[in-house]
Amino acid sequence: MQLAQMGQTSPGNSATALMNVNMVSEQYLVFSIFECEFAFKANHIQGVERLVDVTSVPNVAPWVRGVINLRGSIASVVDLRAFLDMEQLPYNPRTRLLSVQYNEMVICLVVDGVSDMVSVPASAIADVSTRQARVPLWAMPYASGYALLDKRGIVLLDAARLLFSDKMQRYSEEL
């Protein structure tokens, strides 16, 4: 519909309008878990840190690794692999903490590695329910889309869906 309307304008204006439509994009921070690439919108990332000393907390869910002092504030540390019920691997020098923020909530997520910041045009994002979206079942509840950039597939995660999910809100260990 939008392209058809642009075709009715003068030739110079339609080319400019088409370029503007294609240039609408958002920045995403790409990270990996289990050989899959995922991303959060950059405006939800407070920082990327090396895995530092985490203070254990008793009687919490097994995927809560503890807490850290994050620039003067106490933040919970969640191992994303454990949260998603995935195979646990030992941490290595590429392991990172993503400080993810949505509204007032900040949680540090342990991920396998962080690769880069990418610009994702709206036209490259597919709905997670479409056939071309190769979103793992365990990521579906938290995915907002699937971006195909060149031959690179990236699952776009929704910070609010993850941080405010029922599972994430149940920190205490089931006794």
Side-chain angles (χ1 to χ4, degrees):
M1 182 72 170
Q2 205 172 15
L3 292 177
Q5 289 173 344
M6 286 191 296
Q8 295 172 358
T9 61
S10 67
N13 290 343
S14 65
T16 303
L18 186 58
M19 281 178 32
N20 288 339
V21 167
N22 287 335
M23 291 173 59
V24 174
S25 62
E26 289 196 71
Q27 294 289 338
Y28 284 81
L29 181 72
V30 180
F31 61 94
S32 60
I33 301 174
F34 196 61
E35 299 177 9
C36 294
E37 287 193 300
F38 296 89
F40 282 112
K41 285 184 180 179
N43 61 334
H44 293 297
I45 303 295
Q46 262 195 348
V48 177
E49 318 287 334
R50 291 191 184 276
L51 191 60
V52 294
D53 292 331
V54 177
T55 303
S56 297
V57 177
N59 303 318
V60 294
W63 41 265
V64 177
R65 294 297 178 233
V67 294
I68 63 166
N69 182 337
L70 183 66
R71 295 181 280 286
S73 297
I74 302 300
S76 297
V77 175
V78 171
D79 186 306
L80 204 48
R81 275 181 172 269
F83 179 81
L84 297 170
D85 298 319
M86 299 174 68
E87 174 190 358
Q88 293 300 287
L89 297 176
Y91 297 148
N92 64 53
R94 288 185 34 95
T95 304
R96 293 289 182 265
L97 283 177
L98 293 184
S99 305
V100 181
Q101 177 179 12
Y102 192 87
N103 292 338
E104 299 300 314
M105 181 179 276
V106 177
I107 292 184
C108 292
L109 301 175
V110 179
V111 299
D112 293 351
V114 173
S115 57
D116 56 351
M117 186 76 73
V118 295
S119 183
V120 179
S123 61
I125 300 174
D127 187 270
V128 293
S129 62
T130 62
R131 294 186 80 210
Q132 73 255 25
R134 289 167 266 160
V135 179
L137 283 177
W138 41 264
M140 288 294 283
Y142 316 108
S144 61
Y146 182 81
L148 191 57
L149 302 175
D150 296 320
K151 294 182 181 182
R152 184 178 182 190
I154 302 169
V155 178
L156 306 178
L157 296 177
D158 183 309
R161 282 188 207 167
L162 181 67
L163 298 183
F164 293 102
S165 67
D166 286 343
K167 184 175 180 180
M168 186 69 75
Q169 297 300 308
R170 287 188 303 229
Y171 270 54
S172 61
E173 185 175 45
E174 302 293 325
L175 298 174

